[in-house]
Amino acid sequence: MEWKNRLTSLLGIEYPFIQAPMLGITTPAMVAAVSNGGGLGSLPVGGLPPERVAALIAEVKALTSRPFAVNLFTYEIPAVNQQEQFDQMQQFLQQLYKANSLTVPAVAFDAVKIYSYREQLPALLDAGISLVSFTFGIPDEASIALLKEKGCLLLGTATSVEEAVALEAAGCDVAVAQGIEAGGHRGSFLPGPLPQVGTMALIPQIADRIALPVIAAGGIADGRSATAAFCLGASGVQCGSVLLRSPESAATPHHKDKVATVTDTGTRITRAFSGRWARGIANTLMDGIEASGLPLNVYPVQDALTQAVRKVAKELDDPAFIVMYAGQAAQMAKALPAAEIMEALRVAAEKILAPGTQRSQG
């Protein structure tokens, strides 16, 4: 089957299958495995120090000569001036840790360091990155102009038609349409209620409103869901949770075990971990913060506050305090290499889309 379309030509890839950038889960090995297989790997670097960004890009480049994207968090960093709220949440968390026999260092309010995407751009440009994806907003005009001047293609994330229209108006080249099924953070960025549109409802509406190629994200876990997205107007599909159990995933063994057994209703959207809405598997940390009744710190301050226990929990592989982001179709993930997972998904879609294929009804 011929997969060449406007998106593959634009990105310089063989197949319109994209690996979702999952900060804390995606490794350079995962990015390279997907890119080497003809798809598009995506390296997440949101909030990381510029020197770490450069090192990660170098790791990926050592493993593949194929195109890959680097994903940025493009939001305006808030003023960190609510120390009383910060201290209240930290006091509660310390009590929660002690009740669960965990020793976690306190986070100093004035030590919270947040890196803007603007500080990271030189690392991308110095490394010759030409595919830049982003979420949580749109880069400012000066940053877009700089990226365009350097020949970069821009892939923005939208969770509603209105956001997709905003991406196109800002000069983006591709829109990633993220449905409510997706694991991890919502990419929502416009004011108002959180968009909660499902992927299969969102794709045709966005495809009808903008001229950009559209990538479907959220609930894409096998050939059937990928095919449905293509039939609804997507030029490509993005997969995240289906890769959580791969050996290239940085998820801990207990996280992978939880993904293997989670049900379709086993995840929920929460602001507890980071201050932004995100979908994950409930645990002691999520339940405790939500039940506390305390006001949450803004993102990424809340995220910085919970990083300490998440680091400890990851070292201990303690699922009660690991952040286990996962989507509604996460149970379909298999413990196979990332390249095999993506190839199997593509081959299954090819069988459905091949001319003359008989499709079951109902």
Side-chain angles (χ1 to χ4, degrees):
M1 175 177 168
E2 178 58 62
W3 279 108
K4 187 176 179 62
N5 63 17
R6 187 158 58 116
L7 180 70
T8 59
S9 297
L10 192 64
L11 302 181
I13 57 179
E14 294 177 56
Y15 310 115
F17 291 82
I18 293 88
Q19 164 247 316
M22 301 174 285
L23 191 64
I25 296 295
T26 300
T27 61
M30 179 185 290
V31 177
V34 174
S35 288
N36 285 335
L40 183 71
S42 305
L43 178 69
V45 299
L48 299 180
E51 58 272 18
R52 180 61 179 153
V53 174
L56 287 169
I57 291 173
E59 285 187 51
V60 176
K61 286 195 164 191
L63 298 171
T64 184
S65 59
R66 301 287 189 91
F68 67 93
V70 175
N71 180 261
L72 305 174
F73 289 168
T74 46
Y75 60 93
E76 294 303 320
I77 294 175
V80 184
N81 56 9
Q82 295 178 307
Q83 181 159 359
E84 183 178 353
Q85 183 171 307
F86 182 95
D87 290 342
Q88 286 179 340
M89 179 59 73
Q90 176 144 255
Q91 182 179 7
F92 166 78
L93 288 172
Q94 286 294 330
Q95 293 171 346
L96 183 64
Y97 304 154
K98 290 177 183 177
N100 288 273
S101 303
L102 282 180
T103 300
V104 180
V107 180
F109 179 75
D110 57 3
V112 175
K113 172 59 180 171
I114 303 164
Y115 292 93
S116 165
Y117 70 92
R118 297 180 184 89
E119 298 174 84
Q120 298 174 323
L121 285 179
L124 272 65
L125 297 177
D126 288 347
I129 296 300
S130 61
L131 302 178
V132 180
S133 67
F134 49 87
T135 190
F136 299 161
I138 302 175
D140 61 28
E141 291 184 11
S143 297
I144 288 180
L146 174 62
L147 290 165
K148 290 288 188 179
E149 178 188 334
K150 299 297 184 179
C152 297
L153 294 173
L154 307 181
L155 297 78
T157 305
T159 62
S160 68
V161 172
E162 188 179 4
E163 289 179 346
V165 170
L167 292 177
E168 184 175 45
C172 294
D173 301 286
V174 178
V176 179
Q178 184 194 48
I180 195 65
E181 303 94 329
H185 281 104
R186 303 291 294 143
S188 308
F189 61 88
L190 291 180
L194 179 74
Q196 299 188 50
V197 189
T199 304
M200 298 305 160
L202 186 61
I203 297 306
Q205 294 182 73
I206 288 181
D208 285 350
R209 283 291 299 278
I210 65 174
L212 307 180
V214 177
I215 296 172
I220 308 298
D222 65 359
R224 294 168 298 178
S225 48
T227 300
F230 288 126
C231 290
L232 290 169
S235 296
V237 294
Q238 180 169 285
C239 310
S241 295
V242 74
L243 296 167
L244 282 172
R245 297 179 63 204
S246 69
E248 294 90 350
S249 164
T252 69
H254 273 116
H255 185 174
K256 292 180 179 182
D257 289 345
K258 289 284 187 180
V259 168
T261 59
V262 70
T263 65
D264 55 340
T265 58
T267 65
R268 69 173 186 258
I269 295 177
T270 183
R271 291 180 56 236
F273 296 136
S274 71
R276 285 190 69 103
W277 291 108
R279 181 179 293 282
I281 301 170
N283 62 4
T284 301
L285 182 60
M286 183 194 294
D287 292 339
I289 293 174
E290 289 183 349
S292 72
L294 293 172
L296 298 177
N297 295 276
V298 296
Y299 179 90
V301 178
Q302 180 76 11
D303 190 68
L305 190 52
T306 62
Q307 280 290 347
V309 70
R310 290 152 62 179
K311 182 176 184 296
V312 170
K314 195 160 190 175
E315 292 171 352
L316 298 172
D317 194 13
D318 181 356
F321 287 90
I322 296 169
V323 173
M324 296 181 290
Y325 289 139
Q328 289 183 325
Q331 191 187 48
M332 300 175 74
K334 293 180 172 60
L336 296 171
E340 290 186 24
I341 291 170
M342 297 297 281
E343 182 182 16
L345 198 150
R346 172 180 59 80
V347 170
E350 287 177 351
K351 290 179 179 178
I352 298 172
L353 291 169
T357 299
Q358 294 295 317
R359 303 179 194 176
S360 61
Q361 301 296 316

